[in-house]
């Protein structure tokens, strides 16, 4: 637990350009406070002290604006930037070195029992306001753009954009989690450009026939 807490602290210093010291992150960053409380709550949850675990998680929610269920599984090096409005469900799984921005939801789509929340791989970035809903996987090094609503699997090394989200392949190249969350390829715009090009080619052929 303490090893992961240190890893989380180092991750904030590495990925947040506003972070100036470990002391500042430890005492002042709501995202780190929420993760720190989650680590304690998760340990209690795994040792069958579920009421106390939930008490800690709800107290952290009131203090930080971030709600992480103690039953969620979170790897090392998670950064929750700004934090307010983030919700992570009970059966969610988050890999190592992920970055989550404010108002993100890793939620379910109904009242089913069992696995009902998403699984994020390693080095995943989830942009501001994105909603990832359902028991599917988001692959390693994937990016989810700001405001996207993801309802199905996102392959590794790709970007999901839009409502509902569409996927753009990145050709197997590792996505840098420090890249911004806005300037990503829009698959709808790309398809429209392709259609426009095809229409122009058809017009040229009609002109030749005349």
């Amino acid at each position: 637990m303490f090893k992961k807490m240190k890893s989380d602290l180092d991750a904030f210093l590495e990925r947040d350009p506003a972070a100036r010291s470990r002391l500042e992150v430890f005492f002042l960053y709501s995202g780190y406070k929420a993760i720190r409380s989650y680590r304690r709550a998760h340990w209690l949850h795994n040792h069958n002290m579920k009421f106390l675990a939930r008490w800690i998680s709800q107290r952290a929610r009131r203090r930080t604006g971030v709600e992480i269920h103690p039953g969620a599984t979170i790897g090392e090096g998670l950064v929750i930037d700004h934090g307010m409005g983030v919700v992570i469900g009970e059966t969610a799984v988050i890999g190592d070195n992920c970055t989550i921005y404010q108002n993100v939801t890793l939620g379910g789509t109904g009242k089913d029992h069992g696995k009902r929340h998403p699984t994020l791989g390693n080095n995943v970035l989830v942009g501001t306001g994105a909603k990832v809903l359902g028991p599917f996987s988001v692959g390693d090094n994937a990016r989810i753009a700001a405001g996207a609503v993801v309802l199905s699997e996102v392959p590794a090394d790709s970007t999901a954009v839009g409502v509902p989200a569409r996927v753009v392949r990145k050709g197997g190249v590792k996505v840098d989690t420090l890249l911004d969350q806005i300037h990503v390829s829009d698959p709808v715009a790309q398809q429209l450009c392709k259609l426009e090009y095809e229409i122009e080619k058809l017009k040229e052929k009609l002109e030749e026939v005349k």
Side-chain angles (χ1 to χ4, degrees):
M1 179 174 69
F2 293 105
K3 179 177 177 289
K4 287 184 177 180
M5 289 171 70
K6 182 181 182 302
S7 176
D8 297 331
L9 194 61
D10 292 340
F12 273 86
L13 284 172
E14 178 187 342
R15 277 177 256 156
D16 187 348
R20 292 175 293 186
S21 69
R22 287 184 175 83
L23 199 65
E24 183 179 70
V25 174
F26 188 89
F27 286 107
L28 302 179
Y29 276 52
S30 61
Y32 179 74
K33 288 180 180 179
I35 298 167
R36 196 173 69 210
S37 295
Y38 156 78
R39 298 290 184 202
R40 297 197 299 269
H42 185 65
W43 187 91
L44 292 168
H45 184 273
N46 287 346
H47 288 79
N48 206 31
M49 291 180 272
K50 293 183 171 57
F51 180 87
L52 186 55
R54 284 289 278 171
W55 182 82
I56 289 174
S57 72
Q58 291 303 299
R59 185 168 178 266
R61 177 181 181 271
R62 290 193 298 272
R63 293 176 63 196
T64 67
V66 177
E67 182 170 353
I68 307 175
H69 194 286
T73 303
I74 298 176
E76 298 181 11
L78 173 65
V79 170
I80 299 178
D81 198 357
H82 297 291
M84 182 62 68
V86 169
V87 177
I88 299 174
E90 179 182 12
T91 63
V93 178
I94 300 175
D96 295 335
N97 303 313
C98 292
T99 302
I100 295 174
Y101 288 86
Q102 66 268 28
N103 292 317
V104 164
T105 299
L106 304 182
T109 55
K111 295 183 179 180
D112 297 332
H113 294 284
K115 176 65 172 166
R116 59 191 186 278
H117 301 99
T119 296
L120 306 188
N122 299 324
N123 307 304
V124 172
L125 182 147
V126 186
T128 303
K131 314 300 177 188
V132 188
L133 308 174
F136 52 83
S137 296
V138 176
D140 293 348
N141 310 311
R143 283 193 298 168
I144 297 171
V149 178
V150 185
L151 302 174
S152 58
E153 183 175 348
V154 178
D157 307 306
S158 62
T159 300
V161 180
V163 182
R166 296 168 179 262
V167 170
V168 178
R169 280 281 185 183
K170 288 295 179 183
V173 178
K174 180 178 177 180
V175 175
D176 187 346
T177 55
L178 295 177
L179 293 178
D180 70 75
Q181 50 180 322
I182 299 171
H183 299 100
V184 293
S185 301
D186 184 345
V188 176
Q190 289 177 341
Q191 189 65 25
L192 289 173
C193 287
K194 182 180 176 182
L195 288 172
E196 185 178 2
Y197 173 77
E198 290 177 355
I199 289 170
E200 289 299 322
K201 296 297 286 183
L202 287 171
K203 284 182 178 178
E204 289 176 7
K205 288 183 179 179
L206 286 173
E207 289 297 326
E208 291 175 2
V209 170
K210 289 179 181 179

